[in-house]
Structure formats: C-alpha cells, structure tokens
C-alpha cells in the first residue's frame, strides 16, 4: 500500500474518532484545524499528494461525520459560534461536488423539521450564495468521462437541477427564498455563465475542456420547464459576449450541440423565444441544424407543423435564422414547400384549428419574404400548385375567417411568387389578422452579407395614404393661402351634417301595386330604385293592399336582380321581402319555404330565403309588434333628414309632461307597461318550419345540400335553430323540436364546422323552446343520444366554437335536469 | 373635438307670400335704418319685406309677369335696379314711399345670366349685362346708358353663353375688370378697358351657375351644375388659377355668396339645401335643409343675416355665426 495513503488514512481515522467521541471543545478545534491542512488555504499546508488523497477518498467521510455531530450542544462547546464557523468552512472550502452531494444527502436524510435540517438548509443557501455551484459544475468540465464519473455526473445533475423541488419537499413551508425556482434558476444561469467564462479562459490558455455537463444541466433545466428563468439570464449575456468573438461563439455552439437529444426541443424552443432576433440566434446556434438531426427536426418540423404556440416575432427569428446562412437555406426552401403543402391540403383545412392555420400561413409568408426571386423561380410551379389548391379549398369553406385567410395569403403569396403577373385581388374586409398578414409580406434584406441592422420593421400598409387623405381632404384651397392674419374663424363650430344625404328623386310610387308594376315592367331606373326604396314602408302602411298581391310581390322580390348600383340593394330587398312575409305570413312563408328546394335558384337566393324566413319569424314573434307598427306609421322619404333630431325633441316633451303631471297611482306602475300581446308566430310557425325540413336529403340537379352546397346546409341548420327558438311558448314547438332533433341526428357527423355549429345551436334552441316536461315525456331517447354526442363534441371537436356550443348545450341539459329533479324526487 | 356637434340649425324666420318661386334676393337699408329685404319672383313681382315686421311692404310690378332674376339697390335715392326676363333692366325710385320705374334699359339677351354692377363714383355706375349674340357681354354706364365696351371672345373660343358676371375694380388699379363664367364651365377674366381676356381657366365641366369673389384675399369660388365647388385665385389681379375643388353631396349650385366679412360662404343648391362653409378653409359648417324645392338664390346682410329664396315660394332667413 502507498505510504502516503496509509498516513492520511491513519490521521483521518483518528480525527473522525476524536470528533465522534470527544466532548472537549479545544480538542475538537485542534483536530479540525489539523484536518483543514488537507484543504489547503492555510499557512501549514499538507503536501499536495496528501491533499489529493484526502479529497479523493476521505473528504466525504469527514463531512458525514461532521453532519452527524451537528447539534445545539455540540456547537456550544466553544463560545461565539467559532465551532460552527469552522464546521461550515469544510463545506464551503472543500471540493465542491462532494460537499454539495453530502449537503443534499443530509438534508434529504434529516428528520423534518429539525435543528439539523434548518442548519443544513442555511448552509446550502450560503453555499449557493458563495458561488460554489459554479465550482461544482466547473469540476465536471475538465474531467474525461469514465463510467464512474458518469455515474457521479448523473447524480450531480439530478441534484443540481432538482434542488428547488427536493428542498421544497423537505422544508415544506419553511423553505428559504434562495430555493424558490424563480430565484434559483436565474442563479443557476449566472453560475453557468461563470463556468463558461472559465472554460473560455482555459481554452485560451490551451487547456482542453468539455462543456457537456453544462449542456446537460441546461437541457435538464429546460425540460423541467425553466427555460424562461435560465435562458432569460444566459441569452442576453451570451448575445453580448458572442458579438465578434469567435471563441465564445464556438463554446456556445458546442454548448447547444452537446445538449442530449431528449432535451433538445426544450432548449431550442427556449432559445428561439429568448433570442431577440435571427442574427443573435445565428450567433448562438451556428449551423446546429445541419449537424444535429434532432435539432433539424425541432426547428424545421416540430416548431412549424406540430405546434402553433410561437408568437410572430419568434417565428420570424426562427425562419430568419434558417435564412441567414447558405448552408441552412435549403432547409428554409424545404420548410416553405412543406408549409405550403400543408396550407393547401384540404384535410388540414378541415381538421386543423383556425389558429394553427393562421400560424402555418404566417410561417409560409415569412419564408416567402426571406427567399429571393431566383430561389423561388426554381420551384415556382410546385409552390403555386399547392398555393392554388389551398386557395380553392379555403374559398369553399363556409367559415368567413378561413375564406379571408385564404384570400389574404393568396394575394400576398402570389404577388411574391409571380411578381410579373397581374396581381391577384380579392374583396374582403380588413381585420387585425389580415393586416398582420399583409405586414408580413414585406421582403427582408438580402440573405447574404452581415445584416446587423436588426429586424427590419415591416411598413404598415394602409396608414400613410389615410393620413394624406385626412390632411388633404376638404380644405385644399384654403390652407396654403396667404392667411398670415390672425383669423378667429377656427371658432366656428360646425353643425351636425349627418342628414346630408343623396337627394332622392320624386318619382316614388305611392301604392303597393305601383311598386309591383315599377319593379317588374319599368325601364325607368330611377323609378325602379324609388319603388324599391319605398316598398317596405308601403307594405307596412297598407297590409290589406299587400295581402292582395303578396305572392306576386314575394316572387318578384325573390327574383329581383341588382340592375343599378343602388346603395344597399340587398338590404332593401331583404327588408321588403320580410315586410311582405310578415304581412301575409302563411302564404308567403309557405311559398318561400317551397321555393327553397325548387330547381332554378342560385345559392344566394336560397340563402336569402332562409334569412328572410328567420327575420320574418323574429318580427312576428316580437311582443308588442302591432302597437309599435301603428305608432310608427310609415316613414316618408321626406322625413329622413330630421331623424336624428326627433328623439331629442320627444325626450324634452316627455320630460316636461312627466314633470307637470301628477299620477294617482303607485310609483311602480307609473312606468310604461311592458309590451304584451299574443305571439303571432304561433299560428304560422309550421308554415315556416316544416317545408324547410322536407327535402334536405333529396338532391336535385342544381342543388345538393348534402354534397357541395354545405354552406347552405349550415345556413339551413342555423335558420331552423332560430325558427325553433322563436317558436317558444307555441303549441307547435313540441313536434318541431322532435323533427329538428331527428334532423340533427341525421347530420351529426358532418365534416363542415359551420354545419356542426348550426346543428349545435339548433339543439340548444330545442332545449330552450320545448317545455321541459314535454321533452322528457316525448323525446327521452333523442335527448340521451344528443347528450352523448354533445359530450363527444365538447371534448374532441377540432373547431373551438363547436366545442363551446356543445358545452353550452350540455349546460342547458344539466339545467333541465336540475329543474326536473325536485319534481320527481318526493 | 370632445363637444358634440350641435343639431342642425332652424331658420330664424320664414317669409311667405311671394306666391311664386323666388329667383332674386337683395338686402338693403330702408328708411330710418330698418333693414329691408327685396325679393324677385318668377311671376315678375319685386317684393319689399320689412325684416322688422316680417311682412311685405310693397310689391312692384314692372316686368310684365316675367321672372325677375337680379336686384340691386343704388345709394342715390334710394334707387333699385331690377333685371327681368322681359329683357328690361328697370331703375326704380323708392324714395319716400314711391315705387315707380324711372328708367329702363333694353337688354338684348334672353339668358339666365345675372347682371353685375360697379359703383365707381357717387353718380356713375357701370353695369355688366349679357349682350347681343350668344357669347357677348356688354358693359354700360348708368345713368347715361352709354355702351362702355363690348366683350366678345375670340372667334374660335366657343365658350358658350355667359352665365354669371362679376365686375370689380382692385384698389390698386384704376381699370375695372370683369369675371365671367361661361356655359362651357370656364371662367374668364376680362380687362374692361382693353376688351381683352387676361386669363381663362376651365374650372368646371358643366356651365358655371354662380360665382363670388373675395377682393380682399383675391380669391373666389364658383359653383356649377356639377357636384363640386371650385376655388380659384387671382394672381396679381391678372392670372386666374384654380386652387382646388370641393366635392358636394348632390350636384347643382344655383348661386354662391360670400358674407361681407369674408368669414363664411353660402351656396344655393338644386338639392333644396343651403350649404355653409368656412370661407378661409372651405370646411363645411352646416347644411340647411328647410326648403322643399330648388334654391335659386342666397344673399347676405351686412349684419350677418342669410336669406335663401327657393322654388317652394318661401324665403328663409338664418342667423348663423353672427359677426363679432
């Protein structure tokens, strides 16, 4: 046996013996002092060979012995806490990894709560604040990995990263602030930085170092979901340090490369999110995606296709990173192809939630903005093909946001892919999403060459012209004039000019029959317009005259085409048709509902029929409708400008009357009685409802509800739901509800989200309108079936609105049950 | 901007009793300083309204039942000039309650063009009236009725008939000028003494129906049958230049007037509405929707009253933004 080792062993054994048995303070201190020689840092150092032997073999034994002795009495053997200081110095100055392990072990082994536990926890906090964690990790950087040290590393790793959890478990509510994850992980980040600094220094000194332990720590912390805390400290510093420093960059790249595969996703996601832009990301990662398969998978597939949680700036720095280097650009091209393919696939449109579709669209547009003309031209045909597929599939969708998304992306992408061709232009209303997408279209600066100018801010499209028109709108003449004199004209307050509309012609027909004649036969377009505009008022004014020609009028209005560019044609026609339907509900509603399945109508007309029926039913079922109609009279065309003034004037008069009038009755009843009256919809609800249900499953040549015309089917479902809801408190509600539940049952697995929404709202209206007792008595099976279907939809449907509607319907069902239970229970 | 806009104003009062469409309006100071309003009707009558009692004081019948298109009073007398479509320019003596035609000038054009007058001395006036032929303007001197000049565009100009006239003399210049709006939508600046067109611009695509000039700012505004007002300026009293156009809601402007204090501008619209603008910036201030027929003429009082005469036989009088 090695004599050095034997000597050390002898001494340590003796010291341990003394420590564990002696009650004499002085003796203990001198023993400890002699042991401290092996730690160095004192005047009388032991020879290096002995020191090494001690720290390799005996240090943890000594520490465990010290932990074992810890008690209030033992510490009080010497006054002023001298002994405690000496005791702690072993942990704080000895080899950090062993000290750390013994600390953690003793904390986990200590009974809780106890004096020893608290002492050890405080000591661990001191250990952390003294920056010893850096020493723990640094110790692992120089070593070559052998099987034993790998085991040690594994243990250290779980302890280092799991420290907050372990401490939290042991200390419960007594835990110290230093061990809170939000405090610990930033500290860990700083320690990692310090170790990296040391690594860089020793590399400069020509020494070999490994950062794989640091990578593992980083990876594990990120897997634990602490990206924000750790990387929030690391990334800003690394951003500064890697700027123009190749060594730091290489260390950084190595750090990320060495992250184990299973943690790669967490680390990369955290880095992409924390990095302020593509340049920084490029400095931190280097060409990682070309070296590591896992990293490539994460960056080009997982973050783009399998998730959709990144914000737009994050997406921009991710794709910008791919675009910044010629080695990575093929990946960007590949990503764009796949993105557009996904974008164009009809099954993705049907099954992916809207947010994901937006995400994919944004990613594709950012790719387009990064790629140059030449690169795009190389595979333009392929890209255009998938783009056009997507546009077509989206335009077929019955959800407006999906259609709008298709239109905006098509405009932007085709302008980029095919700049020389005529620009594609759709009509759509702008909203936040379309504006954001349009803003993404601005091309980025040239791919090669160091563009350190920071992320270019896309110019916001529509604003500058707006500003111009606001400035230059009215007073083109006045401003630039030589008005040096101080005019007080600015005090002139304009009056309300909202009544200043286009002047109407005076050819307005005065009778319903005149209108009918003007609409069918007139070649005088001014008269035609005037007739259309006057029709609603005339119909409301003279119901008797209308009833004589109601069917003809409905027919004419249904077939009316927009022949002149009269403002609000659709609205005028619809209101007139609603007025006619309300005036003569039985005949007109039946006629319209029959026409819904007739041969020669456009989808537009069919949807108009549905809208008109719903609106007319709403009008009929409104309480107090008759009274209001008579009060209102018909608004003549001349009274238009003063519309705004009337309410104020009426309010003043009513206020005066109220003040000067004394009422001899109770205060409560002085107010206006709520409008009441029989529900007029009661008598005619069947005419509205049942013809619409009759033939939905029988396609005709021009109209196939169960096939291509799913948009109309969705409308039909919504309309039926609305009619059902409006039929509340009517006799016919029960058979209607039954029929509607059957309709829903037949269509419940329809692929289109809009149709499903309609069905779900129809269920809700059945639950609201049909009396609870009748529901249970007449339709128990249907209800049970509906309930299980609703539960399925609420959990699994891809469309968020569908899930929401299903949950609402389920709640209604619950409420129904709650209301019935007290009745049934004795 | 936080304050809500006030509701549209109502007329201060309405004068009824003209019994036919009102085509000409003119404010003047009556005896004892009471302001009067003169109106000319389609049936050829000139009504004199007292703004104090709001009743007609007299009705002058001098145009044989033909429409009275223009009225103007002269300080001497007081005398009244009235232009009618019976091709007469009558001079009335209104002093001390008299109302008799003392003189008349025979006109030579049946158009709708209103005359314009320039008082360049206490006893001498210059009147511009549409002249013989389609495109001619005559400038006469009153009371001598001598023809000062006859302004006829060059042969190939094809301006059409003159539609509105404005005579004026800049303070710096001794020579009177005439602004004339023509049927083709252009505006010409004539030097009356040399009988030459100084400048011409096409401000409208339809006939110019009315124009008003603010000599102080050397700027003016014109309205036509189309949907826009044109604002133009006189550079150095010599060159006309269009400064901008202002879109209106409905087409057709029959008359344009600027208030004497140059603050606001009123237009008489074919859409039955009077529009009021801030003259300096052309900011719309009010739309006066009271009448039920085309408005033919507007007039401003020196005290700030605005009168509008319409085809619905009523004259509305408004008090907007009283001058301080």
């Amino acid at each position: 046996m090695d004599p050095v080792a034997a000597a050390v062993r002898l001494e340590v054994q003796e010291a341990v013996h003394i420590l564990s048995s002696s009650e004499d303070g002085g003796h203990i201190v001198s023993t400890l002092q002699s042991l401290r020689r092996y730690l160095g840092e004192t005047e009388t150092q032991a020879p290096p060979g002995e020191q090494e032997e001690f720290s390799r073999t005996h240090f943890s034994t000594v520490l465990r012995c010290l932990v074992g002795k810890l008690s209030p009495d033992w510490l009080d053997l010497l006054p002023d806490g001298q002994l405690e200081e000496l005791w702690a110095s072993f942990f704080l100055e000895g080899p950090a990894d062993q000290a750390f392990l013994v600390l953690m072990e003793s904390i986990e082994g200590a009974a809780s709560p106890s004096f020893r536990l608290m002492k050890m926890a405080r000591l661990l906090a001191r250990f952390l604040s003294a920056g010893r964690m850096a020493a723990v990790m640094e110790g692992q950087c120089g070593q070559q990995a052998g099987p034993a040290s790998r085991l040690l590393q594994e243990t250290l790793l779980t302890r280092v990263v799991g420290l907050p959890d372990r401490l939290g478990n042991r200390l419960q509510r007594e835990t110290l602030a230093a061990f809170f994850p939000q405090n610990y992980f930033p500290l860990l980040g700083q320690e990692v930085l310090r170790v990296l600094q040391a690594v860089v220094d020793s590399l400069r000194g020509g020494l070999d170092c490994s950062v794989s332990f640091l990578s593992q720590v980083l990876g594990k912390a990120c897997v634990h979901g602490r990206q924000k805390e750790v990387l929030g400290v690391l990334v800003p510093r690394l951003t500064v340090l890697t700027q123009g420093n190749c060594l730091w960059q290489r260390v950084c790249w190595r750090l990320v490369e060495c992250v184990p595969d299973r943690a790669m996703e967490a680390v990369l996601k955290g880095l992409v999110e924390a990095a302020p832009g593509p340049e920084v990301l490029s400095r931190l990662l280097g060409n990682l995606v070309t070296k590591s398969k896992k990293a490539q998978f994460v960056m080009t597939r997982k973050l783009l296709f399998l998730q959709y949680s990144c914000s737009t700036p994050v997406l921009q720095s991710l794709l910008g990173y791919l675009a910044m280097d010629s080695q990575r650009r093929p990946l960007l091209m590949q990503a764009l192809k796949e993105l557009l393919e996904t974008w164009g696939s009809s099954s993705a449109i049907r099954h992916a939630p809207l947010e994901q579709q937006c995400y994919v669209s944004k990613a594709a547009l950012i790719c387009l903005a990064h790629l140059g003309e030449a690169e795009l031209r190389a595979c333009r045909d392929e890209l255009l093909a998938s783009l056009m597929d997507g546009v077509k599939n989206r335009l077929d969708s019955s959800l407006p946001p999906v259609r709008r998304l298709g239109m905006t992306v098509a405009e932007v992408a085709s302008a980029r892919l095919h700049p020389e061709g005529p620009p594609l232009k759709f009509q759509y209303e702008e909203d936040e999403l379309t504006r954001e997408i349009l803003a993404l279209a601005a091309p980025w600066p040239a791919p090669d060459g160091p563009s350190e100018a920071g992320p270019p801010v896309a110019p916001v499209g529509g604003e500058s012209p707006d500003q111009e028109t606001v400035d230059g709108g009215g007073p083109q003449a006045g401003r630039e004039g030589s008005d040096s004199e101080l005019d007080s004209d600015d005090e002139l307050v304009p009056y309300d000019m909202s009544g200043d509309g286009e002047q109407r012609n005076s050819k307005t027909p005065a009778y319903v029959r005149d209108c009918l004649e003007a609409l069918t036969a007139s070649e005088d377009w001014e008269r035609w317009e005037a007739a259309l505009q006057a029709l609603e008022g005339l119909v409301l004014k003279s119901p008797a005259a209308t009833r004589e020609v109601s069917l003809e009028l409905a027919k004419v209005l249904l077939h009316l085409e927009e022949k002149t560019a009269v403002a609000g044609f659709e609205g005028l026609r619809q209101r007139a048709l609603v007025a006619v339907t309300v005036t003569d509900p039985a005949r007109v509603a039946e006629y319209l509902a029959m026409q819904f399945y007739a041969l020669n109508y456009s989808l537009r007309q069919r949807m108009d029929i549905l809208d008109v029926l719903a609106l007319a039913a709403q009008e009929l079922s409104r309480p107090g409708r008759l009274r209001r109609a008579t009060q209102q009279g018909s608004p003549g065309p001349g009274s238009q400008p003063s519309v705004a003034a009337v309410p104020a004037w009426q309010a003043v008069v009513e206020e005066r009357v109220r003040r000067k009038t004394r009422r001899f009755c109770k205060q409560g009843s002085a107010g206006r009685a709520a409008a009441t009256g029989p529900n007029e919809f009661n008598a005619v609800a069947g005419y509205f409802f049942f013809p619409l249900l009759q033939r939905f499953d029988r396609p005709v040549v021009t109209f196939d509800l169960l096939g291509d015309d799913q948009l109309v089917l969705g409308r039909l479902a919504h309309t039926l739901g609305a009619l059902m809801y409006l039929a509340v408190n009517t006799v016919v509600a029960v058979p209607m509800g039954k029929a509607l539940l059957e309709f829903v049952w037949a269509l419940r697995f329809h692929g289109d989200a809009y149709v499903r929404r309609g069905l779900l709202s129809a269920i809700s209206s059945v639950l609201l309108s049909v009396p609870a007792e009748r529901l249970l008595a007449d339709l128990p099976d249907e209800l049970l079936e509906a309930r299980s279907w609703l539960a399925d939809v609420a959990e699994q449907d891809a469309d968020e609105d569908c899930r929401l509607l299903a949950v609402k319907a389920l709640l209604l069902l619950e409420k129904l049950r709650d209301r019935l239970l007290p009745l049934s229970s004795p | 901007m936080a304050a809500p806009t006030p509701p549209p104003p109502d007329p201060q009062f309405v004068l009824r009793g003209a019994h036919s469409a009102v085509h000409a309006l003119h404010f003047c100071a009556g005896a004892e300083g009471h302001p009067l309003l003169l109106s000319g009707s389609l049936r050829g009558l000139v009504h004199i309204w007292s703004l104090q009692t709001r009743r007609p004081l007299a009705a002058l019948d001098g145009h044989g039942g033909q429409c009275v298109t223009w009225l103007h009073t002269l300080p001497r007398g007081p005398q009244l000039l009235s232009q009618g479509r019976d091709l007469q320019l009558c001079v009335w003596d209104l002093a001390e309650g008299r109302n008799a035609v003392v003189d008349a000038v025979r006109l030579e054009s049946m158009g709708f063009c209103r005359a314009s007058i320039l008082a360049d001395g206490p006893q001498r006036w210059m009147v511009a009236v549409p002249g013989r032929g389609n495109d001619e303007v005559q400038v006469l001197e009153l009371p001598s009725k001598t023809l000062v000049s006859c302004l006829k565009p060059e042969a190939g100009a094809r301006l059409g008939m003159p539609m509105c006239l404005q005579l004026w003399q800049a303070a710096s210049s001794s020579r009177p000028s005439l602004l004339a709006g023509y049927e083709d939508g252009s505006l010409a600046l004539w030097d009356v003494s040399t009988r030459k067109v100084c400048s011409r611009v096409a401000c409208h695509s339809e006939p110019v129906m009315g124009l008003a000039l603010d000599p102080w700012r050397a700027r003016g505004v014109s309205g036509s049958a189309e949907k826009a007002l044109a604002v133009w300026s006189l550079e150095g009293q010599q060159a006309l230049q269009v400064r901008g156009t202002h879109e209106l809601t409905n087409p057709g402007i029959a008359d344009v007037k600027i208030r004497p204090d140059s603050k606001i501008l009123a237009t008489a619209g074919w859409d039955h509405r009077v529009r009021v603008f801030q003259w300096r910036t052309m900011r719309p201030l009010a739309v006066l929707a009271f009448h039920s027929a085309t408005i033919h003429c507007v007039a401003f009082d020196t005290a700030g009253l605005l009168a509008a005469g319409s085809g619905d036989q009523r004259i509305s009088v408004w008090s907007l933004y009283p001058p301080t």
Side-chain angles (χ1 to χ4, degrees), chain A residues 475 489 492-493 495-496 500, chain B residues 6 250 275 278 281 283 285 321:
Chain A
D489 289 8
L492 304 183
V493 181
Y495 289 97
D496 179 22
D500 183 26
Chain B
N250 290 309
R275 282 158 209 282
Q278 184 172 9
T281 61
R283 182 163 66 116
L285 291 177
Y321 308 106

Side-chain angles (χ1 to χ4, degrees), chain A residues 18 84 98 145 200 236 345 370 388 395 402 489 519 555 557:
Chain A
I18 292 168
E84 185 175 356
Q98 294 182 48
V200 169
S345 121
H370 278 296
M388 287 311 151
L395 290 182
V402 177
D489 289 8
L519 287 178
K555 205 178 290 181
L557 284 171

Side-chain angles (χ1 to χ4, degrees), chain B residues 30-316:
Chain B
E32 300 133 31
H34 293 311
L36 299 176
L37 176 62
L38 306 172
S39 74
S41 74
L42 180 67
R43 298 240 186 101
L45 291 183
V46 175
H47 292 270
I48 304 175
W49 306 83
S50 160
L51 294 183
Q52 206 174 23
T53 62
R54 302 175 187 177
R55 293 284 181 277
L57 297 177
L60 316 181
D61 183 5
H63 285 281
Q66 298 288 318
C67 177
V68 177
T69 56
W70 179 70
L71 292 168
H72 202 274
T73 47
L74 301 176
R76 192 188 70 168
Q79 281 192 338
L80 166 69
L81 289 180
S82 71
Q83 180 193 7
R85 296 206 67 211
D86 60 345
L87 302 185
Q88 293 285 340
L89 184 70
C90 297
V91 185
W92 303 76
D93 180 11
L94 300 182
E96 296 157 2
R98 285 190 293 266
N99 45 21
V101 179
V102 292
D103 201 351
V105 180
R106 174 84 189 159
L107 300 180
E108 311 201 18
S109 165
M110 257 297 269
F112 289 88
C113 181
R114 290 175 178 147
S116 173
I117 191 163
L118 178 69
D120 57 349
Q123 300 295 321
R124 281 177 55 223
W125 309 286
M126 232 184 249
V127 181
V129 291
R132 187 181 306 137
N134 258 343
D135 50 1
E136 201 178 292
V137 179
Q138 291 178 345
V139 180
L140 306 171
E141 194 179 75
L142 287 183
S144 65
K145 296 198 256 178
T146 49
L147 184 65
V148 175
S149 67
C150 180
L151 310 175
K152 191 170 165 60
E154 294 158 34
R158 303 179 68 92
L159 296 178
M161 286 194 288
M163 302 299 288
C164 48
L165 304 170
Q166 175 78 47
L167 264 180
W168 107 105
Q169 185 168 8
S172 55
S173 144
S174 60
R175 305 205 303 205
S177 312
L178 173 79
L179 267 172
Y182 285 94
E183 199 180 353
D184 71 340
S186 63
L187 208 62
L189 176 67
W190 293 87
D191 185 325
V192 172
S193 27
T194 60
R195 299 167 199 183
K196 285 275 187 306
V197 177
C198 300
S199 168
R200 186 164 80 84
V201 285
C203 352
H204 299 281
S205 54
E206 298 278 337
V208 184
M209 301 302 292
L211 64 89
L213 178 72
D214 176 4
W216 187 41
R217 285 197 177 86
R219 236 173 38 211
V221 58
S222 58
S224 76
E226 65 183 2
K227 253 173 118 166
L229 291 174
V231 178
W232 28 265
S233 62
L234 289 165
E235 301 295 332
Q237 314 290 349
Q238 287 298 315
L240 276 171
Q241 193 181 7
V242 178
R243 304 298 292 264
T245 56
H246 185 88
E247 280 293 316
L248 301 171
T249 317
N250 290 309
I253 291 297
D255 196 7
V256 186
K257 288 276 165 36
I258 298 172
R259 199 162 77 179
D261 67 357
S262 298
K263 293 240 167 168
I264 61 175
L265 158 81
T267 66
W270 293 358
D271 60 351
H272 316 172
R273 290 170 201 160
V274 176
R275 282 158 209 282
V276 181
F277 296 87
Q278 184 172 9
W279 167 227
R280 192 166 61 86
T281 61
M282 285 305 281
R283 182 163 66 116
L285 291 177
V287 176
L288 311 178
F290 168 78
H291 289 284
S292 57
T294 303
I295 301 185
H296 293 298
C297 50
V298 284
F300 276 111
D301 183 10
T302 43
L305 281 184
L306 163 67
S310 155
D312 64 3
Q313 311 186 353
R314 295 180 292 182
I315 301 165
S316 54

